Amino acid sequence: MRSSGSICQACGSVAYDEYPYLKFPNTVKAILWARSLQSAKRILRKRIQRDGYHRSSSIFRGRVVVCNECGHGFFADKPTDAELDAYYSSTYWDQRNSVIPEPADPQKHPRTLSQIAMIERVLGPIQDGRTLEIGAGPALPSRYIKAKLGDDSRVDLIEPGYQWEAYYEKHGIRRVAKSFPTVVSDTYALVLASHWLEHVTDLSQVLSTLRDTLDQKGALFVEVPHCDRQYWKERQSDEPHIHFFTRESLTRALSHAGFCPLEVGTFGVSRRQSRKGVRPSKSDYFEPNPEGQWLRGVFRRI
């Protein structure tokens, strides 16, 4: 345990542990977890195709500090904003080109359907279509809301990847900016941030601006990787994450920024199951799992 000034961006604690930033998956352990050589090859091939580890970026190296109080992790030697802008505008999606140009149907996509189901269970049916999705990528939740509400919706998004321009034009979705924080012309009833918050550098500034982006009683949906204490024993790669959230650290960071947590939970298969090559079933997206590797929350601006 170390102590050196206010280190935790979630709770302000000065006590932390330190880990090296892990860039590549531990392929040896992946093979050992697999039941056969054939399944090991299948798992590793899919991981490479999905995550692009074979093109790992040199800007991700250094140390992660992990708070001893709330468990929040932060990449202490993070890249500069200019380096990250360049990375996310091209390299990130170039490594994942298998998902472009036409991703899944949002009406049949389990992650999208389960996220919408959680939002509507907590907030009620989505009727106000003023929605902003940040770090949108394929923007499947936005497409779902747009299809449901039609002309009554105003679905905007923020995404740095140039690869999505034709796709957004095809689906009639407006990109209002390439990065966040940014100044938007209006406020929104709902902001969606699925697997984006872990990539930001200045968490406090981002959460403050998110609050200003919402209506007085607007809501924020967040999904991030679940990085509890077990994560640091079983992780295979940290890249390209800057923040590593626990349930407590996510709740405390957002509460401190002026949000009220309405529901926070973990979903998906466990990290141990994922390392064995277990794919999430439809129920894994919808049913809470204390060991699940996805952390989700719905928060109200206060």
Side-chain angles (χ1 to χ4, degrees):
M1 182 178 72
R2 302 189 181 192
S3 178
S4 178
S6 181
I7 190 70
C8 181
Q9 294 193 28
C11 74
S13 172
V14 298
Y16 63 94
D17 293 320
E18 193 173 281
Y19 298 85
Y21 193 92
L22 190 60
K23 289 172 57 61
F24 300 101
N26 190 328
T27 55
V28 174
K29 288 186 178 180
I31 291 173
L32 290 176
W33 276 113
R35 294 185 177 182
S36 68
L37 180 61
Q38 182 179 4
S39 61
K41 289 180 178 179
R42 173 177 54 82
I43 292 166
L44 296 177
R45 183 171 60 251
K46 287 187 176 181
R47 282 181 177 154
I48 288 172
Q49 291 173 347
R50 182 190 65 196
D51 297 326
Y53 290 121
H54 59 304
R55 301 180 187 175
S56 180
S57 174
S58 61
I59 66 174
F60 296 100
R61 60 178 63 182
R63 302 163 297 122
V64 181
V65 293
V66 179
C67 176
N68 291 136
E69 183 173 336
C70 70
H72 186 77
F74 175 68
F75 183 16
D77 303 306
K78 66 184 184 299
T80 66
D81 288 342
E83 288 174 327
L84 288 172
D85 286 345
Y87 173 78
Y88 287 115
S89 66
S90 60
T91 307
Y92 180 82
W93 286 116
D94 285 343
Q95 292 176 349
R96 295 155 175 79
N97 57 14
S98 61
V99 301
I100 302 172
E102 192 59 42
D105 180 352
Q107 305 290 335
K108 300 177 181 179
H109 190 249
R111 184 190 295 274
T112 299
L113 295 176
S114 63
Q115 291 176 344
I116 295 295
M118 181 179 187
I119 292 168
E120 295 195 320
R121 182 176 68 252
V122 175
L123 301 175
I126 298 174
Q127 297 176 332
D128 189 333
R130 294 176 300 119
T131 302
L132 176 68
E133 185 172 0
I134 309 177
L140 297 182
S142 293
R143 284 180 54 196
Y144 180 96
I145 293 171
K146 185 175 177 61
K148 176 181 179 179
L149 299 182
D151 294 338
D152 293 331
S153 65
R154 194 196 86 203
V155 177
D156 296 336
L157 56 84
I158 295 173
E159 165 59 48
Y162 74 90
Q163 299 91 336
W164 296 103
E165 292 176 0
Y167 172 83
Y168 294 152
E169 184 176 355
K170 173 183 177 181
H171 291 286
I173 302 174
R174 185 176 68 146
R175 174 158 55 179
V176 294
K178 293 185 177 181
S179 63
F180 192 92
T182 189
V183 177
V184 293
S185 59
D186 202 353
T187 57
Y188 296 87
L190 176 65
V191 171
L192 306 167
S194 178
H195 292 270
W196 165 75
L197 195 60
E198 67 270 26
H199 299 271
V200 308
T201 53
D202 190 331
L203 183 61
S204 177
Q205 180 189 17
V206 163
L207 295 182
S208 175
T209 310
L210 274 175
R211 186 178 182 277
D212 293 340
T213 303
L214 285 163
D215 292 346
Q216 286 297 322
K217 293 187 178 181
L220 169 68
F221 171 83
V222 174
E223 180 171 317
V224 293
H226 179 212
C227 301
D228 59 3
R229 293 295 180 184
Q230 196 64 26
Y231 171 85
W232 303 104
K233 300 176 182 179
E234 299 180 346
R235 64 190 175 136
Q236 289 185 278
S237 176
D238 299 323
E239 187 178 350
H241 299 161
I242 305 295
H243 293 273
F244 303 85
F245 292 94
T246 65
R247 182 171 183 158
E248 181 180 354
S249 76
L250 181 67
T251 302
R252 290 178 71 161
L254 280 155
S255 297
H256 182 72
F259 289 88
C260 174
L262 301 179
E263 183 174 317
V264 182
T266 51
F267 298 81
V269 298
S270 68
R271 188 160 283 101
R272 184 179 295 267
Q273 289 176 304
S274 179
R275 289 173 60 188
K276 290 182 178 180
V278 175
R279 305 282 293 180
S281 65
K282 184 176 181 180
S283 63
D284 289 322
Y285 288 93
F286 287 85
E287 298 175 5
N289 176 6
E291 298 182 352
Q293 58 183 339
W294 308 319
L295 176 62
R296 293 177 181 169
V298 179
F299 301 83
R300 176 86 71 185
R301 172 183 167 165
I302 55 176

